[in-house]
Amino acid sequence: MTKKEAFLQVVQVGSVDDQAAEMYLLSAGLIEDDQFVGDLNELELAAIPLLQSLLSVSSTSEGAFSEGRSRDGIKDRLLFLARKHGLDDVVSALLNKPQIKKYDWGL
């Protein structure tokens, strides 16, 4: 199994464009055709930016082909990987909940 094949298994959100997978592998310093020897951490860390980019695209269509993705599924996978690797900034950004502040009207 190549690193690219293993990477696509790590992403786990349906189909991912081959060129996108290759780009994120290369940006992480990984060669797509190298043999996968069991280092999941490097593939999981490479998957995080890909998953972040997929959050903004919930569906894809080209001609008669159309594919939808679960935004919640992508977010769940991204949260899992970010927590596993201690990426608190990613977790905070995904779980950012609006804060309601109390205003004292002086009444």
Side-chain angles (χ1 to χ4, degrees):
M1 172 184 289
T2 66
K3 286 189 177 185
K4 180 180 172 184
E5 292 167 336
F7 178 72
L8 293 173
Q9 294 300 312
V10 166
V11 173
Q12 293 184 0
V13 293
S15 65
V16 174
D17 181 62
D18 281 345
Q19 291 177 337
E22 292 166 12
M23 179 182 71
Y24 285 100
L25 283 170
L26 286 173
S27 69
L30 304 173
I31 307 299
E32 65 179 283
D33 294 328
D34 283 355
Q35 263 322 97
F36 174 65
V37 292
D39 188 1
L40 281 176
N41 288 333
E42 68 181 7
L43 296 178
E44 289 173 345
L45 288 169
I48 289 171
L50 172 64
L51 291 168
Q52 288 173 316
S53 73
L54 291 176
L55 276 177
S56 63
V57 181
S58 60
S59 64
T60 307
S61 62
E62 187 174 320
F65 172 78
S66 180
E67 177 186 39
R69 291 189 179 103
S70 166
R71 189 177 192 316
D72 289 334
I74 294 169
K75 184 178 175 182
D76 290 344
R77 184 65 179 154
L78 182 53
L79 273 171
F80 171 78
L81 293 175
R83 285 180 175 141
K84 180 178 178 183
H85 294 283
L87 301 174
D88 295 331
D89 56 332
V90 175
V91 173
S92 295
L94 290 170
L95 296 178
N96 188 14
K97 296 180 182 174
Q99 296 180 2
I100 299 173
K101 295 185 179 185
K102 177 182 158 185
Y103 182 76
D104 184 10
W105 290 90
L107 300 176

